[in-house]
Amino acid sequence: MPTASLSPSPLSLPVPGLLERATASQADTVPFSLLDDPLEWSAFSRPLPQQPTCWESSVVFEGMHCAACALSIEDALRQVPGVVSVDVSAASHRGRIVWSDQAVKPSGWMQAAQHAGYRAVPANDAFASDRRRAETRQALWRLSVAGFCMMQVMMYAWPAYVAKPGDMAPDMVQLLRWASWVLSVPVLLFSCAPFFGNALRDLRQRRISMDLPVALGMGITFVVSAIGTFEPQGIFGAEVYFDSFTMFVFFLLTGRWLELRLRDRTAGALEALMNRLPDSVERRRAGGEFERVAVRRLAAGDVIRVLPGEAFPADGTLLEGRTLADEALLTGESRPLTRSAGDAVIAGSHNLTAAVLVRVERTGSDTRFAQIVALMESASTSKPQLAQLADRIARPFLIFVLLAAGGAGAWWWSHDPGHALMVAVAVLIVTCPCALSLATPAAMLASAGALARRGVLVRRLQALETLATVDTVVFDKTGTLTRDAFALAEVHTRDGISREDALAMAAALAQHSLHPVSRALAAAGQGDRLPSGAWLAQTVEESAGQGLSGCLVNRVKPGVAVSARLGSARFCGVALPETDQLHACLSDAQGWVATFELREDLRPDARAAVAALRAHGVQVHLLSGDRPDAVARVARQIGISQARGGCTPQDKLALLQGLQAQGRKVAMVGDGLNDGPVLAGAHVSFAFGQAVPLAQAQSDFVVLGDRLGTVAQTLLRARRTLTVVQQNLWWAAVYNAVCVPLAVVGWLPAWLAGLGMAFSSLLVVLNAMRLSGAVQPLEAV
């Protein structure tokens, strides 16, 4: 077979999949029926093992603006036969739909969403970012038109505010009104189009969303002012409000445009992490040349070329080349790792420095990256309890807004019809519950994105709310506080034998065993940089549970051979003082040669993590199934005063329930699989996911790296998140409590109501954005 070049081929032609065959401008016209092909489902769905005929799809809904929109989509999809469950997040605009392929196809529930006024597109759609940019540009154009016209209208309105009676002729006043009307028409027809379009859609569907009161306010203000312009002697002729109309449209659009930009930085941060795989990759043909194919067309055994700057599209083994790989999201390792021929690479990690050839071993849902994406998609569509409460309040609140506006207008009508309608408009605008609906999910998503970049996956957003109240953390020992291996602590030798010689002899024997003690001694020998091949072990035999025996030949001194044993004191035939320290002995024909004391390999930041938790008022416990003396020794080393060993899973659960009975909020930190019942029984739980199938991890948080300090960091981030959520909710409540009465009594003009509404929503999102920054390092905690 000819040798394949690692440089890009100029003859490579893209062969994209069905979702990528349209251009960005044509993507909106692709019929939903194309997604009914089962071969396309894997692009945005995954089968549910517990429900053989069901699929879970992740989609993004376009046209959403508020919590009422999310409820409308959920109501529409739940009416489709075959749809099992629906969860839509108002903050991320993402939805999780579980459906049965025996009763419905994707086009069925996508068309139901379309009929409700919201377009559903696959969450990993190739043109999602293009559509977001187009949406942002369109919003900016509407904002620019409103801003330009507002300035001109204010210029024409200013003389009416400062002129004294008799200063302006009636013809001049009327001319300025007509000029203001002309400049307000583009604002009405172009800048206000999204509000009127959404309101009309809601009326056709016989429902209420937050755009309806806003559109009513805009329409009433313009109509009243237009009538006052056309009939200056009529009941509405005393005053026109084109300046207020253009101002509050400008303020509302400013708030929405900034919210759009900020949402891309919060929910968009999660999308950036989930959409790391490339759309296509170069695959080697039988003749050695390369062709570009869609990533989901890859199969195990394919050989692909991954260029610098591209992400690895599948799990595999490096065949040719040497590079650096960024695996921060998948393993929690912040530094780039060297990868050369024979090393494993994982889907979703980035190739940083050189083109390499990779043999594909696992693709699609079999990769660890797919498991991570499934967890993150589930988190992005989950709803915390506070958000669910806000969603339940949203619709009744909107009905209250309409009734309050109508009541205020009726009360003031007898005094001045024009003023009465403007009071009603102020109530409609100022009481929009956008801030209330954004208060919780915006903060939760910002924190989830920041934690994901730190290597902590949030399975449920509700868990952040619960974790903030935790006052007790219970750790498992093996695989959690300690690694799965031992470390060499001390070496004691007989006279005439150096530490290096004893360790070299032990390492030569230990290389022939997979026992954890043998692996620790072999690793210690390599770590001490002993002379390679100084001792060669021959005719090695392993006695299960006892040790190794063999002949050691010294290659440096020809003719020197030693019959040696490595293992327990009894196996080596030596008598040693009683000790609870884990150890291994080395002996030869003359007797005892050396004793190697081993300790469990504690995670390097275990003591600092425990100290950080205790410093913030958290009680720390250690429960383990290991020997009580070993558990007590580890507890002393890392500063835990309450430890218990010899626990069965049932004992751990009983002790956990005992703490809960005392009124304590308990978080459990375990390995994610063996501690399943205890993790499920805790208020909130962490699992270290390095060696655990993520889909089986029975925990609320999955720690991808091996840094124990992330538990303390996540706890403090959760407390900070709950503080921000409470600040947002208090702001939304105080804002409505102050502004609604002012609007009802007529002290709040419409333009100021628009400014207040936009500022209220913007303040909530900006406050949540503070959580999207980097997580504090453990030293700062």
Side-chain angles (χ1 to χ4, degrees), residues 12 14 16 162 258 375 487 715 742:
S12 299
V162 298
L258 291 174
L375 293 186
L715 175 63
L742 291 177

CSV table of all heavy atoms in Angstrom, one decimal, residues 12 14 16 162 258 375 487 715 742:
chain,number,residue,atom,x,y,z
A,12,SER,N,-9.1,17.0,-2.4
A,12,SER,CA,-10.1,16.6,-1.5
A,12,SER,C,-11.4,17.3,-1.8
A,12,SER,O,-11.5,18.5,-1.9
A,12,SER,CB,-9.7,16.9,0.0
A,12,SER,OG,-8.5,16.2,0.3
A,14,PRO,N,-15.5,17.8,-0.6
A,14,PRO,CA,-16.5,17.6,0.5
A,14,PRO,C,-17.6,16.7,0.1
A,14,PRO,O,-18.2,16.9,-1.0
A,14,PRO,CB,-17.0,19.0,0.9
A,14,PRO,CG,-16.8,19.8,-0.4
A,14,PRO,CD,-15.6,19.2,-1.1
A,16,PRO,N,-20.7,16.2,2.1
A,16,PRO,CA,-21.4,16.4,3.3
A,16,PRO,C,-22.6,15.5,3.4
A,16,PRO,O,-23.1,15.0,2.4
A,16,PRO,CB,-21.8,17.9,3.3
A,16,PRO,CG,-21.9,18.2,1.8
A,16,PRO,CD,-20.8,17.3,1.1
A,162,VAL,N,-40.7,73.2,25.3
A,162,VAL,CA,-40.1,74.4,25.8
A,162,VAL,C,-40.9,75.7,25.5
A,162,VAL,O,-40.6,76.7,26.1
A,162,VAL,CB,-38.6,74.5,25.4
A,162,VAL,CG1,-37.8,73.3,25.8
A,162,VAL,CG2,-38.5,74.6,23.8
A,258,LEU,N,-29.1,43.5,23.3
A,258,LEU,CA,-28.1,43.2,24.3
A,258,LEU,C,-28.3,41.8,25.0
A,258,LEU,O,-27.4,41.0,25.2
A,258,LEU,CB,-28.0,44.3,25.4
A,258,LEU,CG,-27.5,45.6,24.9
A,258,LEU,CD1,-27.6,46.7,26.0
A,258,LEU,CD2,-26.1,45.5,24.5
A,375,LEU,N,-25.1,14.5,28.6
A,375,LEU,CA,-25.3,15.1,29.9
A,375,LEU,C,-25.5,16.6,29.8
A,375,LEU,O,-26.4,17.1,30.5
A,375,LEU,CB,-24.0,14.8,30.8
A,375,LEU,CG,-23.8,13.3,31.2
A,375,LEU,CD1,-22.6,13.3,32.2
A,375,LEU,CD2,-25.0,12.7,31.8
A,487,ALA,N,1.7,4.2,46.4
A,487,ALA,CA,3.0,4.9,46.2
A,487,ALA,C,4.0,4.5,47.2
A,487,ALA,O,3.6,4.1,48.3
A,487,ALA,CB,2.7,6.4,46.3
A,715,LEU,N,-19.0,23.8,45.0
A,715,LEU,CA,-19.9,24.1,46.1
A,715,LEU,C,-20.0,25.6,46.3
A,715,LEU,O,-21.1,26.2,46.4
A,715,LEU,CB,-19.4,23.5,47.4
A,715,LEU,CG,-20.1,23.9,48.7
A,715,LEU,CD1,-21.6,23.4,48.7
A,715,LEU,CD2,-19.4,23.3,49.9
A,742,LEU,N,-46.7,53.3,40.1
A,742,LEU,CA,-46.4,54.6,39.5
A,742,LEU,C,-47.1,54.7,38.1
A,742,LEU,O,-47.6,55.7,37.7
A,742,LEU,CB,-44.9,54.7,39.3
A,742,LEU,CG,-44.1,54.9,40.6
A,742,LEU,CD1,-42.6,54.9,40.3
A,742,LEU,CD2,-44.5,56.2,41.3
